[in-house]
Amino acid sequence: MDNVRLRRLKADYEALRRLAHLHPKIEIEGVAGNPPDRYRIKLKVKSLRERGETIETIDEHRLEVTMPRGYPRDAPLFRMLTPVFHPNIAPHAVCIGDDWTAGESLDLLIQRVGEILAYQSYNTKSPLNGRAAQWVDENRDREPNDRDEFFVDLSAVPDSPAPATGVCSNCAATGSLTPCSANHQLCADCVMRCGTCSRVVCLSCGDRSCTACTQAAV
C-alpha cells in the first residue's frame, strides 16, 4: 500500500469516527481493512422506497462505501445496501457528483449522501433511476419533508475526548465490547481471535496475527 493511500485511509477513519460520534443521524456499523477501506454506514434520514406499486417512506438506510485501489486518485464508491427510490440512486451506485477531486473529504461525501436521501438534493435531468425522476417531477408534493440540516462541519466543532468505555476502538460501534491486551474495546464485528490460543487479535493495535503465538514460535 503506497504512503499516500495509507495516510488518507487513516485520516478518513479518524474523521469518520469523529463524525459518527458527533452526528445524530450517522452510525458506523462495520469496517473492513486496516486501516479501513470499506465501511457500512447507517443513515437515519427520511427517504422513499418502492414496494410493488407503492412509494412509501422509510427512515433508516444502510450505505456501503468502498475506497478502490487507486484511491484517493480515484473516487470512492457508494452503494446503497437497502432499497431507495431516488432519481440519483441505483442499486449499484449513488451519484454524488460528476467531478471527483482528491481534496474532497469522505465525511462530507457521506453527509452529502444523507442530503440526497432526504431529497434535499437531486437532479432529474440526468438520473440513474428514470422512473424515480419521472415520479418526482409529477409528485413534488409527496417528497419527504425531512428538512433538518444534515451537515456537521467537523472543523467548527471543538475536539472532545472519546468515551472511555462503551465505544469500539476500531469502528466506534456501541454495545457489547471485548478488550484486547492493551485494553482497546472491540465490538463483535471487530474482534478476531487466534485460531491457536483464542487470544484477541486487535486491529487497533495494528496486529495482523497473534503476537503471543508468534513470539512463542521464535
Side-chain angles (χ1 to χ4, degrees), residues 3 15 21-22 26 34 38 49 59 62 68 72 128 142 158 176 178 211:
N3 289 335
H21 179 61
L22 293 171
I26 296 177
N34 183 26
R38 188 165 72 249
R49 73 176 175 187
D59 296 325
R62 267 72 181 181
L128 289 178
R142 295 179 60 190
S176 179
T178 301
T211 54

Side-chain angles (χ1 to χ4, degrees), residues 141-182:
D141 59 329
R142 295 179 60 190
E143 294 175 11
N145 59 0
D146 194 338
R147 297 303 174 190
D148 292 341
E149 175 61 50
F150 200 82
F151 281 92
V152 171
D153 184 357
L154 296 184
S155 65
V157 179
D159 288 325
S160 59
T165 59
V167 176
C168 176
S169 298
N170 189 53
C171 72
T174 57
S176 179
L177 303 174
T178 301
C180 74
S181 59

Side-chain angles (χ1 to χ4, degrees), residues 20-80:
H21 179 61
L22 293 171
H23 203 299
K25 297 185 177 183
I26 296 177
E27 294 180 17
I28 300 174
E29 290 195 327
V31 300
N34 183 26
D37 59 8
R38 188 165 72 249
Y39 295 86
R40 187 176 69 250
I41 306 290
K42 179 195 286 187
L43 297 167
K44 293 176 282 188
V45 59
K46 189 176 294 184
S47 191
L48 300 175
R49 73 176 175 187
E50 185 176 26
R51 177 173 288 182
E53 297 298 318
T54 303
I55 307 300
E56 60 185 19
T57 301
I58 186 169
D59 296 325
E60 287 189 356
H61 315 271
R62 267 72 181 181
L63 170 71
E64 181 183 75
V65 186
T66 303
M67 274 58 73
R69 187 178 297 274
Y71 180 80
R73 182 181 63 257
D74 298 333
L77 306 176
F78 294 83
R79 180 173 71 95
M80 297 305 304

Side-chain angles (χ1 to χ4, degrees), residues 130-218:
R131 172 168 158 72
Q134 180 180 357
W135 185 92
V136 168
D137 284 338
E138 296 172 354
N139 297 273
R140 300 281 182 177
D141 59 329
R142 295 179 60 190
E143 294 175 11
N145 59 0
D146 194 338
R147 297 303 174 190
D148 292 341
E149 175 61 50
F150 200 82
F151 281 92
V152 171
D153 184 357
L154 296 184
S155 65
V157 179
D159 288 325
S160 59
T165 59
V167 176
C168 176
S169 298
N170 189 53
C171 72
T174 57
S176 179
L177 303 174
T178 301
C180 74
S181 59
N183 206 33
H184 291 128
Q185 303 294 318
L186 304 172
C187 70
D189 288 336
C190 294
V191 167
M192 297 188 300
R193 292 189 179 273
C194 174
T196 302
C197 69
S198 296
R199 284 187 173 89
V200 173
V201 178
C202 180
L203 293 174
S204 293
C205 290
D207 296 338
R208 294 182 179 274
S209 60
C210 177
T211 54
C213 290
T214 301
Q215 291 170 0
V218 175

